[in-house]
């Protein structure tokens, strides 16, 4: 049942649907004379769906699932020590262990991939590996408003 729920969840993704549709068009028997192949079995089809779903999950999630903000400057090959609240979040809430990956950002240097070097109840140290994405420059504030009647519009602008 868990496999079916995973497949249903991933069917919403257009990429998975396109891949399955291409496989179906190539391998499903067109008539009774071709139905003796191995792809005719319901269980084979179920196995292939689950396999494709798992492959899609692995391919679609290259970034770490834990993302943290820090005030420290981020640079390649540097060691970062986190604050007490973030250490508690990693150790107790997310149950991260040494070697797990974390995404760090500070709003200035972009987002960085970090590996947990050491983690304990009292401290955590992360080593920065590589930059996942650079910091985007903000365009500034945007004002959205409804059209006002009469002389109120020039007063707003």
């Amino acid at each position: 049942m868990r496999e079916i729920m995973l497949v249903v969840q991933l069917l919403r993704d257009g990429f998975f649907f396109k891949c399955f549709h291409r496989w179906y068009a190539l391998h499903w028997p067109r008539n009774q004379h071709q139905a003796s192949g191995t792809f005719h079995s319901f269980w084979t089809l179920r196995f292939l769906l689950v396999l494709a779903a798992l492959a899609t999950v692995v391919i679609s999630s290259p970034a770490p699932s834990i993302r943290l903000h820090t005030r420290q400057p981020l640079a390649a090959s540097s060691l970062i020590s986190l604050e007490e609240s973030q250490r508690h979040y990693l150790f107790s809430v997310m149950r991260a262990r040494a070697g797990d990956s974390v995404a760090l950002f500070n709003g200035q240097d972009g987002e960085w991939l970090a590996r947990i070097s050491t983690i304990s109840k009292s401290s955590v140290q992360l080593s920065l590996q590589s930059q996942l994405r650079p910091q985007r420059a903000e365009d500034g504030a945007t004002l959205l408003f409804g059209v006002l009647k009469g002389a109120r519009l020039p007063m707003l602008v």
Side-chain angles (χ1 to χ4, degrees), residues 4-129:
I4 294 172
M5 293 302 294
L6 180 64
V7 169
V8 168
Q9 196 173 26
L10 290 172
L11 278 176
R12 297 178 194 150
D13 189 7
F15 175 75
F16 176 74
F17 179 76
K18 288 176 188 174
C19 290
F20 175 71
H21 181 70
R22 288 185 183 149
W23 175 87
Y24 180 83
L26 289 174
H27 295 96
W28 199 257
R30 306 265 190 274
N31 55 38
Q32 282 296 86
H33 299 293
Q34 294 175 337
S36 62
T38 59
F39 293 109
H40 185 66
S41 168
F42 169 75
W43 295 107
T44 305
L45 177 62
R46 180 179 174 199
F47 173 75
L48 289 173
L49 280 174
V50 170
L51 190 64
L54 291 175
T56 304
V57 168
V58 170
I59 291 171
S60 65
S61 59
S65 61
I66 303 172
R67 193 167 182 254
L68 295 174
H69 177 267
T70 183
R71 294 184 182 135
Q72 300 176 25
L74 304 175
S77 302
S78 62
L79 286 175
I80 303 287
S81 294
L82 295 179
E83 300 172 3
E84 176 62 26
S85 61
Q86 292 174 332
R87 186 224 38 90
H88 171 74
Y89 176 74
L90 278 178
F91 186 76
S92 301
V93 178
M94 297 305 291
R95 303 205 182 264
R97 299 292 171 237
D100 290 351
S101 59
V102 177
L104 284 179
F105 68 98
N106 63 359
Q108 297 170 351
D109 301 321
E111 187 173 1
W112 288 77
L113 175 68
R115 299 260 181 226
I116 300 175
S117 301
T118 59
I119 187 165
S120 66
K121 287 186 177 184
S122 59
S123 68
V124 62
Q125 286 218 333
L126 304 171
S127 62
L128 295 180
Q129 303 291 317

